[in-house]
Amino acid sequence: RTQRLFISDLHLDPDQPEILAHFLAFLRGRARSAGELYILGDLFDAWIGDDALDDPQVASDYRRVTASLRALHEAGTRCWLMQGNRDFLLGRRFARASGCRLLGDPSLVRMADQSILLMHGDLLCTDDIAYQRFRRRVRNPLIQKLFLLRPRQQRLRIAADYRGRSRAATAAKQRAIMDVNPRAVIKYIARYQADRLIHGHTHRPGDHPVSLAQHQCLRQVLADWRYADGKVQAELLVEEKGRWWREPVRSAV
Ligand code: OKV
Ligand code: MN
C-alpha cells in the first residue's frame, strides 16, 4: 500500500452508466492496492448540493458512489476529494457519507521529498474571462447559500439551463482560451515553490516541464475519463516511492 493514485474529470452522470460502472469497478479493484486515492475535481458532471443523495431520481447512482468510496476507505485506502468547476458544491455531507477528506484547491502536499501542488486546474485558465466571471459568481458563499435554499426541483432546472448555455458557449470558444495560461502556471508554482504541479480540468493529458529562474517544475495534466466507441477510456497517474507513471484503468469485467 505504498502507491498513491491520482484521477480527475470523471464527469460522472446518471445518463452515462458506463463510466459510473467503470469507476465503481476501479474502486473495488485497482484502487484497493493503493494507500491513497486523490480525486482532483469533476468527479461529477454536475452537482446541485449534497441533498442530491436524497433525490429519488438519482440517489441510487450517487449512493453507489458514496458506498463504494466508503468501502474503499474501510479497506484501508485514504481518499482525498477536491471540488472541480462542475461539482464545486460537493460538501461535508458527501465527504462524511463517502469517507473522503475534502482537499482545498490549491493544496500543497509533500511526497517522496518533493513539494507537490494539487489543483483542479480551472484557476489556471485565466484567459477564459467569461468562465472566470461565472466562477467568481458561483463561488460566492452568499450566492451559494441562496442557491442551496431553493427547492431541489428549481435547482435542477437552473442547472440544466446553465449546462445548456455553457455547451453553446464552449463550442464558440477558441481552443487556446480554454487551456492554462502560462503566467498563471508560473505564478502558482513560484508561490508554492512546487517541484510538481498536478491538475486536470483541461482534458489535455500531458507532461510539461516548467522552468523558473530558481528551479524546475513538472506540470502533469490528468486525463479525463470518457466513453467512446463502446469503451471507457480512463487513465491514472501513479506515484510509488518517488517513481511516477501513467497507467490505463482497465475494466474488471
Ligand atoms: C456546474 C458549470 C453547470 C462550468 C448556481 C449558485 C446561481 C450554484 C449554481 C448551477 C449549475 C452547479 C451549481 C454546473 C458548472 C455548469 C455550466 C458551465 C463552465 C448558482 C450556485 F448562480 F444560479 F445562483 N450552480 N450547477 N459550468 O449544473 O453543476 O463550470 S451545475
Ligand atoms: Mn473541470
Side-chain angles (χ1 to χ4, degrees):
R1 290 194 183 276
T2 50
Q3 291 187 351
R4 296 186 178 99
L5 311 182
F6 300 84
I7 57 175
S8 71
D9 300 282
L10 288 78
H11 292 272
L12 298 181
D13 183 340
D15 292 339
Q16 289 233 338
E18 296 85 2
I19 301 180
L20 182 64
H22 203 83
F23 180 57
L24 297 176
F26 162 74
L27 294 179
R28 283 192 303 271
R30 175 67 181 91
R32 298 272 162 136
S33 55
E36 293 186 300
L37 170 65
Y38 287 85
I39 304 171
L40 299 187
D42 288 358
L43 174 60
F44 296 106
D45 194 56
W47 198 255
I48 57 147
D50 286 357
D51 60 345
L53 294 166
D54 303 323
D55 181 343
Q57 297 267 306
V58 285
S60 65
D61 283 334
Y62 291 153
R63 285 184 184 183
R64 284 165 76 204
V65 174
T66 53
S68 303
L69 282 166
R70 172 156 284 284
L72 177 67
H73 165 74
E74 279 163 7
T77 303
R78 183 172 283 189
C79 300
W80 298 93
L81 181 64
M82 187 182 282
Q83 300 171 336
N85 59 297
R86 313 216 48 129
D87 52 12
F88 60 87
L89 287 179
L90 273 177
R92 299 243 271 269
R93 180 175 163 199
F94 183 91
R96 204 174 324 115
S98 61
C100 292
R101 294 166 190 225
L102 290 173
L103 200 57
D105 181 3
S107 281
L108 189 69
V109 296
R110 269 315 283 173
M111 287 177 190
D113 261 19
Q114 282 196 320
S115 290
I116 316 243
L117 188 60
L118 305 174
M119 301 180 76
H120 175 57
D122 57 324
L123 279 170
L124 301 170
C125 298
T126 53
D127 293 335
D128 192 342
I129 306 289
Y131 169 70
Q132 294 298 337
R133 195 180 308 125
F134 165 82
R135 188 181 195 281
R136 272 196 299 280
R137 181 167 143 73
V138 294
R139 297 295 179 115
N140 177 322
L142 179 62
I143 286 186
Q144 288 192 0
K145 196 167 179 174
L146 292 171
F147 181 77
L148 290 169
L149 281 170
R150 294 172 183 268
R152 199 162 52 223
Q153 286 307 318
Q154 209 180 333
R155 278 180 278 149
L156 282 169
R157 275 202 302 279
I158 295 172
D161 186 50
Y162 269 91
R163 294 174 82 189
R165 277 189 287 152
S166 162
R167 214 163 288 138
T170 304
K173 277 175 198 168
Q174 286 173 29
R175 261 179 73 79
I177 287 176
M178 294 188 288
D179 202 354
V180 299
N181 174 294
R183 288 179 302 281
V185 168
I186 286 173
K187 184 181 93 173
Y188 278 96
I189 291 172
R191 184 187 296 169
Y192 291 92
Q193 291 295 300
D195 300 304
R196 195 179 290 261
L197 166 59
I198 303 173
H199 70 83
H201 180 64
T202 60
H203 301 192
R204 298 176 202 205
D207 294 345
H208 307 276
V210 183
S211 296
L212 279 76
Q214 305 301 327
H215 73 285
Q216 280 275 123
C217 176
L218 184 64
R219 179 171 72 92
Q220 296 195 285
V221 187
L222 300 173
D224 56 313
W225 290 27
R226 62 177 74 195
Y227 180 66
D229 310 322
K231 289 192 294 282
V232 176
Q233 288 172 38
E235 192 185 77
L236 295 173
L237 178 67
V238 189
E239 184 271 341
E240 183 170 36
K241 297 181 180 132
R243 292 207 311 118
W244 295 81
W245 67 91
R246 290 178 194 263
E247 177 184 302
V249 181
R250 292 210 179 74
S251 158
V253 284

